[in-house]
Amino acid sequence: MLFHVRMTVKLPTDMPVEQATRLKADEKELAQRLQREGTWRHLWRIAGLYANVSVFDVPDAQALHDTLMQLPLYPYMEIEVMALCRHPSSIRDDDR
Ligand SMILES: O=C(O)CC1=CCC(=O)O1
């Protein structure tokens, strides 16, 4: 099942630089593993914002929730989710 997810990162302005750097590195490592595994299908920066739009491919809403809650930056994100389903005019066989 595919989900469109928008994540806006809001790190506290008083967070020590070392902590922010560690969180971002841990986030990157997990995000790249999930992309390699096919769970995190798309990851795009929203131009001009510390935010991204992503597409996740997971079995169900619970799996999406569990995945998002694992993200190191999760406590510092605002997250909006839209469930996606196949468009009848799509030519992509892997959209489901
Ligand atoms: O920078 C972001 O938008 C948050 C994020 C998601 C994956 C990653 O590496 O950073």
Side-chain angles (χ1 to χ4, degrees):
M1 191 173 175
L2 298 177
F3 290 91
H4 174 286
V5 179
R6 175 179 171 143
M7 303 177 206
T8 303
V9 184
K10 297 194 167 177
L11 294 177
T13 51
D14 61 352
M15 178 180 280
V17 173
E18 302 75 28
Q19 185 183 354
T21 302
R22 182 75 254 160
L23 280 170
K24 290 176 193 177
D26 290 347
E27 180 85 12
K28 181 174 183 174
E29 186 180 336
L30 180 55
Q32 293 191 334
R33 177 163 68 77
L34 291 171
Q35 287 173 80
R36 282 191 290 270
E37 292 171 358
T39 298
W40 199 323
R41 230 202 248 189
H42 291 276
L43 170 58
W44 294 92
R45 174 65 73 221
I46 301 176
L49 298 177
Y50 190 9
N52 71 74
V53 289
S54 293
V55 175
F56 284 80
D57 188 350
V58 288
D60 53 30
Q62 184 65 55
L64 177 70
H65 180 76
D66 295 344
T67 301
L68 295 176
M69 290 205 69
Q70 284 176 33
L71 299 178
L73 286 173
Y74 176 81
Y76 308 104
M77 284 176 172
E78 286 178 6
I79 298 179
E80 298 162 57
V81 174
M82 284 187 283
L84 303 176
C85 57
R86 186 173 174 79
H87 193 287
S89 303
S90 174
I91 62 166
R92 301 188 186 284
D93 291 336
D94 61 346
D95 287 350
R96 59 189 189 285

